[in-house]
Amino acid sequence: MEGLWRSVTGQDPSTEEYSGVEFWSRPERAGWLTKQGEYIKTWRRRWFVLKQGKLLWFKDSNVTSASVPRGVISMGTCQTVKGAEDIVHKPCAFELSGSGNSLEPMYFLADTEKEKEEWINSIGRSIVQNSLALNDSEIVDYDARR
């Protein structure tokens, strides 16, 4: 789980964390969100890109193959994404959290309720598709047992 919330250390993520992800080309979802810092609870507006099971963020929206993400979250280490207006007391808020007690939730603000729902749906789909909990050995094919 170490390295899930890369930006909090103040270091850019290592290229291994997003190698093979063409984040500059045809993302599953991209757009502006405001993210709360994990230790210093300030809110910063960042350009987010969801692609191939990674949520990456950048300082600006001009993302090219030469861009370096400010942070990367692997959807395989996440468990839930849900609305969080009642927690952060701001409109269009949602939270992304990992499994177990090892990870603090991250909080985001979308610009509109519609964008919030779209991000929650896209991230939720990516979590399911990339879940570490569903590795091949745990998937049971009941039809094959008949």
Side-chain angles (χ1 to χ4, degrees), residues 5-55:
W5 315 128
R6 286 298 299 188
S7 69
V8 298
T9 62
Q11 313 165 1
D12 288 336
S14 71
T15 54
E16 292 141 25
E17 292 180 73
Y18 57 89
S19 70
V21 179
E22 293 184 358
F23 51 78
W24 59 92
S25 171
R26 297 192 349 247
E28 295 156 35
R29 176 157 305 286
W32 290 104
L33 291 171
T34 303
K35 180 182 83 62
Q36 186 181 46
E38 189 167 0
Y39 296 118
I40 301 170
K41 302 293 184 187
T42 55
W43 292 91
R44 291 214 166 95
R45 194 159 169 84
R46 297 289 185 244
W47 182 258
F48 282 80
V49 173
L50 179 64
K51 178 129 185 212
Q52 294 172 249
K54 306 283 186 192
L55 183 64

Side-chain angles (χ1 to χ4, degrees), residues 2-146:
E2 201 251 304
L4 177 66
W5 315 128
R6 286 298 299 188
S7 69
V8 298
T9 62
Q11 313 165 1
D12 288 336
S14 71
T15 54
E16 292 141 25
E17 292 180 73
Y18 57 89
S19 70
V21 179
E22 293 184 358
F23 51 78
W24 59 92
S25 171
R26 297 192 349 247
E28 295 156 35
R29 176 157 305 286
W32 290 104
L33 291 171
T34 303
K35 180 182 83 62
Q36 186 181 46
E38 189 167 0
Y39 296 118
I40 301 170
K41 302 293 184 187
T42 55
W43 292 91
R44 291 214 166 95
R45 194 159 169 84
R46 297 289 185 244
W47 182 258
F48 282 80
V49 173
L50 179 64
K51 178 129 185 212
Q52 294 172 249
K54 306 283 186 192
L55 183 64
L56 308 101
W57 60 95
F58 304 84
K59 273 195 169 178
D60 64 61
S61 60
N62 185 23
V63 176
T64 67
S65 59
S67 297
V68 176
R70 302 289 297 167
V72 178
I73 301 170
S74 173
M75 294 294 99
T77 58
C78 296
Q79 194 165 16
T80 60
V81 59
K82 60 187 178 185
E85 286 93 345
D86 53 338
I87 297 169
V88 298
H89 308 291
K90 292 181 181 287
C92 307
F94 64 96
E95 97 178 23
L96 178 61
S97 57
S99 54
N101 298 331
S102 58
L103 298 171
E104 292 292 318
M106 283 186 83
Y107 296 101
F108 304 89
L109 304 175
D111 290 344
T112 67
E113 189 65 27
K114 181 177 185 288
E115 286 180 21
K116 178 191 106 172
E117 293 302 323
E118 289 171 350
W119 274 106
I120 287 174
N121 290 337
S122 296
I123 291 170
R125 237 186 338 270
S126 189
I127 288 171
V128 170
Q129 290 168 350
N130 296 280
S131 174
L132 295 177
L134 286 177
N135 64 36
D136 292 337
S137 66
E138 295 176 21
I139 296 172
V140 178
D141 184 355
Y142 291 103
D143 291 330
R145 289 183 162 182
R146 291 185 184 165

